[in-house]
Amino acid sequence: MTRTFFRNASLLDGENLPRRETTVVVAGNRITSVSEDTAAPAPGPDDRVIDLAGKVLMPGLWQGHFHSGFGAFGGGTSAPVLGLEEPTAYLGMLAARNATTALHCGFTSIIGSSNGQGLDVCLKEAVLAGVVEGPRVTACTHEFVVSGDAADGTNRSWFMGLGSHGLVRRLDGPEAFRQATREELGRGADVVKISASPGHGSHVARDVCYMTDAELRAVTDTAHERGKRVRAHTASKTSILACVRAEVDLIDHADRIDRECIDAILEADATVLPSMLWYDRFLGLAENWDHDAQPFPIGDGFPETREQTLARIRGVREDYDYTRSVLAEVAESGVRLVVGDDFGTPLMPHGDYVSEMELYVKQLGIPALDVIRWATKNAADAIGMGDQLGTIARGLLADLLVVDGDPIRDIACLRDPARLRAIVKDGVFVKDAL
Ligand SMILES: [Zn+2]
C-alpha cells in the first residue's frame, strides 16, 4: 500500500501546542505514525513524501451545528424556516451543495442540528455511497417541539401541521417524544434535536423550559439506550439546567449560562455550542436598520409593531452582551465547547464557518489554540468519536488539513482557499495543492 509521508510539518493536533519538524505517515485511511522527523520511519520507493516546511498540518475541522437544508435564498434577509416551503427534492440538492461546500472549506465532519424529511440521514448515506462529495455526517432528526412553542411552525405556517413534517415535529407528552425518537433513530439519525426554550435570535427570550422533565427524559433515555445523542436549543437558565439534569449531551447556544449552569454542565460532562456569530450578524443589521423607513425583515413570522420589533432587538442585544461577558469564564471552567452556528439562515451563508471561530478569537479574546480545539478534538469527543477523529495520533482516521499560514497567529487564514493547500478525508485527498 502506498503511504503518504507529511514531513517537516508544524503539527497542530487539536490538543497541544504546535510541534515543529514532525512527520505524520498515512496508510490507507489511517494515521500510522506520528514522530519527530529524525525518528520517522523510512519511506519506501512507492511512498509519496511531501515536505511541509513552513506549513501547518492539523486535523480536519468540525462544524458542530449544521443545518444541511438551510440556505435556499442565498443569505438574503428574508429566509423562511425551511420546511415545506421547498419541495423535498430541492432541499436534498441544497444539502448536497452545502455538504460539498463544507468539505471544501476544510470541514471534514459535520454534526447535524435539525432538518426536515430525513435530510441528514439521506445526506449521510449519499456521502457514504459516494453519491455526494461531503464530510462525515452525524445525522440529526427533525427539531422536536411542543405545541405552542416559538419554533412550532403551525403557529405561523398553515401547512406545517398537515402531517408531512417540515423542519419541526410537534409532540406533546413523554410517549409522543419517545415514539418520535425511536422512529427517527430507527431511520438512521445519530442525534435528536429538541427545542427547549425560546430565544437566541429572533424570538424573544423567556426564562422557561418548554419541555417537562418527563418529556426530556423520554428523549434522552431512548437515545442513550441506542448509543445516540441528544442536543437542545437552550436560551434560558431554566432550560439549560433542565436539559443538563435530563442528561442532554449537547447544549446549543446556552444563552444565560451562569456559574450554577457551568457547575451542572461540568458534573454532567455535557458540551456547549455557543454559536454567537448569528447574534453578531443579526445585531449588525438590526441596529443599523432605518426602522422608520421600513419594517425590519427578520422576525418570527408574526406581525408586530415597530415598538415590539425594537424591544425584540434590544432583548437580543442584552442576551448577546451577557453571553459575551461570560464566555471566557465558561471556557476557563473546563466546559467542553464546540463551534457550530446557524449557517444557512439570513446573513449567514454556508461556507462562512471560520467567521464564527474568528469572532471568538478576535472579539472575545479566546486563545486561537482553544478555538481550534473546539473545532477538532472537542467536537469529536462530544459525540463519542474522540478515539477515532479530532486529533492527529497513531491509529486514528486520517482527516487532515495542510495550511500555508499560522492559524494560532491569525485564525482567519483558515478561511482562505489559497492557504488551505490540502484537505484529506478518510485518507483521500479532497484537495491537493501541495
Ligand atoms: Zn440551529
Side-chain angles (χ1 to χ4, degrees):
M1 184 191 299
T2 302
R3 296 175 296 176
T4 305
F5 283 62
F6 296 95
R7 289 184 62 87
N8 200 13
S10 177
L11 183 70
L12 187 56
D13 66 5
E15 289 187 275
N16 306 295
L17 287 167
R19 278 176 282 167
R20 299 200 176 280
E21 295 171 7
T22 300
T23 294
V24 173
V25 182
V26 172
N29 67 343
R30 295 275 171 188
I31 297 162
T32 56
S33 166
V34 179
S35 62
E36 290 177 14
D37 286 336
T38 50
D46 294 335
D47 292 332
R48 180 180 178 192
V49 180
I50 303 166
D51 188 340
L52 293 187
K55 300 185 183 67
V56 165
L57 183 68
M58 63 184 289
L61 297 166
W62 289 61
Q63 213 285 13
H65 186 113
F66 199 85
H67 290 290
S68 54
F70 279 17
F73 299 96
T77 57
S78 59
V81 173
L82 279 181
L84 301 179
E85 297 92 335
E86 304 287 351
T88 308
Y90 187 68
L91 294 183
M93 293 176 197
L94 276 175
R97 183 202 64 180
N98 292 337
T100 305
T101 297
L103 181 59
H104 282 267
C105 290
F107 288 76
T108 51
S109 296
I110 58 175
I111 308 173
S113 181
S114 81
N115 264 300
Q117 306 168 53
L119 213 53
D120 269 7
V121 173
C122 294
L123 181 62
K124 177 176 73 172
E125 293 178 351
V127 170
L128 287 173
V131 174
V132 169
E133 188 188 34
R136 299 175 191 274
V137 178
T138 299
C140 192
T141 61
H142 286 86
E143 184 131 352
F144 291 179
V145 306
V146 297
S147 290
D149 104 11
D152 176 358
T154 52
N155 287 332
R156 56 192 160 191
S157 298
W158 66 271
F159 51 73
M160 282 276 197
L162 289 181
S164 177
H165 306 288
L167 176 71
V168 303
R169 184 161 178 180
R170 188 163 44 117
L171 305 160
D172 291 289
E175 269 319 307
F177 275 98
R178 197 179 339 265
Q179 184 188 344
T181 302
R182 285 175 178 158
E183 186 186 312
E184 298 209 23
L185 294 180
R187 286 183 191 159
D190 306 300
V191 57
V192 182
K193 174 78 180 286
I194 55 177
S195 175
S197 83
H200 195 79
S202 55
H203 306 297
V204 177
R206 287 184 293 126
D207 189 23
V208 297
C209 182
Y210 283 141
M211 293 170 64
T212 64
D213 289 348
E215 288 171 333
L216 290 168
R217 269 285 169 199
V219 176
T220 53
D221 286 348
T222 307
H224 293 163
E225 278 165 14
R226 289 156 178 76
K228 307 289 187 174
R229 282 175 166 66
V230 180
R231 68 186 311 157
H233 174 107
T234 63
S236 69
K237 179 175 177 176
T238 297
S239 65
I240 295 169
L241 290 176
C243 287
V244 172
R245 237 183 358 250
E247 297 182 71
V248 169
D249 307 280
L250 303 162
I251 306 295
D252 285 302
H253 315 315
D255 299 343
R256 297 292 156 183
I257 189 171
D258 66 2
R259 191 66 235 182
E260 187 183 352
C261 297
I262 291 171
D263 290 342
I265 289 165
L266 285 170
E267 169 85 24
D269 195 26
T271 299
V272 169
L273 298 96
S275 47
M276 292 175 70
L277 183 67
W278 157 248
Y279 269 147
D280 193 65
R281 294 268 166 91
F282 175 88
L283 289 169
L285 184 75
E287 292 180 344
N288 294 300
W289 192 262
D290 184 350
H291 294 273
D292 294 322
Q294 54 180 323
F296 185 62
I298 302 176
D300 57 10
F302 298 102
E304 61 183 7
T305 65
R306 181 176 171 282
E307 286 66 32
Q308 285 170 324
T309 303
L310 294 175
R312 178 161 61 83
I313 293 165
R314 277 197 303 277
V316 174
R317 165 56 71 187
E318 283 169 21
D319 283 345
Y320 183 41
D321 286 348
Y322 173 80
T323 310
R324 282 171 67 104
S325 73
V326 297
L327 196 66
E329 183 191 346
V330 177
E332 282 160 19
S333 74
V335 165
R336 186 190 304 109
L337 287 148
V338 169
V339 301
D341 215 317
D342 277 313
F343 293 94
T345 54
L347 315 173
M348 301 272 290
H350 268 285
D352 194 17
Y353 315 117
V354 172
S355 291
E356 183 201 0
M357 300 167 72
E358 196 179 0
L359 179 140
Y360 299 135
V361 175
K362 293 187 178 169
Q363 289 197 38
L364 276 69
I366 312 270
L369 188 64
D370 290 352
V371 175
I372 288 167
R373 188 179 302 118
W374 301 2
T376 54
K377 175 74 179 143
N378 282 10
D381 284 342
I383 59 159
M385 294 184 75
D387 60 344
Q388 294 293 314
L389 290 162
T391 185
I392 296 177
R394 186 165 177 265
L396 268 64
L397 292 165
D399 285 9
L400 305 166
L401 306 180
V402 175
V403 184
D404 188 7
D406 182 357
I408 301 290
R409 206 170 296 158
D410 181 15
I411 199 156
C413 74
L414 294 172
R415 182 175 30 220
D416 183 353
R419 287 172 175 268
L420 207 52
R421 302 296 288 274
I423 301 168
V424 177
K425 185 196 134 196
D426 210 34
V428 176
F429 279 85
V430 173
K431 176 176 180 179
D432 186 355
L434 291 168

